[in-house]
Amino acid sequence: MTKTLKCDVLVIGTGIIGSMAALYLQNAGREVVLLERGEVARGASSGNAGILAFPEIIPIPAPGIMKKAPRWLFDPLGPLSVPPAYAAKIAPWLWRFWRASAERSFRHGLKSLTDLNRLAAMEMAHVAAMPELSHLVSKTGTLDLYDSEASLNAARRDWDEKESAGFTFQRVGRPEIEELQPGLAPQFRHAMFSPDGLQVSDPYDFNRAIFDLVIARGASLRKGEAERIDAVGESTIVTLENGDKIDADRVVIACGAWSRKLVATLGSIVPLETERGYNTTLSPNAFNLTRQLYFNDHGFVVTPLSTGIRIGGAVELGGLELKPNFRRAEAMLKKAGRFLPGLKLEGGKQWMGFRPSMPDCLPVIGTARVTPSVIYAFGHGHLGLTQSAATARLVTQLASGEDTEISIDPFRPGRFS
């Protein structure tokens, strides 16, 4: 026999976006029910590098990117690849990605990410100041490493844009690099250092702490998978795969890579794709890592977490169904061993997760066309943790019928229609 639950706000997804939105909605006086299809906080949010990357305002689809893309796409272990079995399916997304790399679209994306990430930094400062969460956020500084002076100079435009946006950094040479992170291979003689670089101690622990706080304050968790959503008069009905229904005044869709199928039941066609991200987490004593390291010419990062040293990155556009290709994680680990000669490579734990990504690298934040009672909050790609608090602020304002802190027009669900 099917059952119907009535609630104020239903948040679908307990990843960092859903859990943070639940926290903000609670702070605004809303009663929240969370719906989770799998294990709490164990999706893509658990496997990120833990970096609060507020300065990352440069859209990936930038002018000139398509000159590099063919070389990357046909390298199965490169920073951007497409498995042959998925090439035809991903073609429309890649076409939109190419369109987004035009100068005008790039400038639009740059401004949109700048506005969102500035708001994200302000909002995350409030979250990080909460007594229950403050011990999980720290300032380590970020070291962006380049193989040569030429490659750093080639990135000068990006750094100029970050400087114009108000982010602080300085160019450093080998003596400073050795002081900031001893033990790097001698090839790294050119870098940019951002002293304000923040990170969480472990992304799963941070996400889980927010979720637990929300539950402790009175929210409830419902396990199950949403199959469809219907706007019926003043009601929004979410039907679960077992036939049970949830009647909610507001629904927030924050289920990451699985959001595309769900919003289609409301008539929203969004070109959401899945970046399969890979990483390996080594033991905490594998290397004396003092801060976040970006190996910019190789598309991966190395970060010191409380649970170990995480080596991850690269992009594989392969959808939700193909088997993982852990050779990508192994290739990054092998490179990390060359770049950090003292790194102990044994005993690592491999991971693969699904990053929900839009072709213009902007998330989807806004209301459904058929009803303002359903709010979309997904598609953050690599920046879900970074943009979570800003997204939660905007979602809460939409749920309350208030003006949003920044314009959400760049993130509207129908922008590709």
Side-chain angles (χ1 to χ4, degrees), residues 368-416:
R369 179 180 56 84
V370 295
T371 174
S373 296
V374 179
I375 301 166
Y376 297 170
F378 55 82
H380 295 75
H382 298 253
L383 297 175
L385 173 63
T386 297
Q387 296 170 348
S388 58
T391 301
R393 168 62 66 197
L394 298 171
V395 163
T396 302
Q397 290 172 329
L398 287 170
S400 302
E402 302 172 0
D403 292 337
T404 52
E405 203 80 18
I406 60 173
S407 171
I408 60 170
D409 184 68
F411 316 116
R412 65 190 184 279
R415 63 185 185 267
F416 287 97

Side-chain angles (χ1 to χ4, degrees), residues 40 54 73 90 108 125 138 168 272 280 286 327 398 406:
V40 168
F54 305 119
L73 291 171
I90 195 68
H108 171 75
S138 62
T168 302
L272 182 70
T280 302
R327 291 172 57 213
L398 287 170
I406 60 173

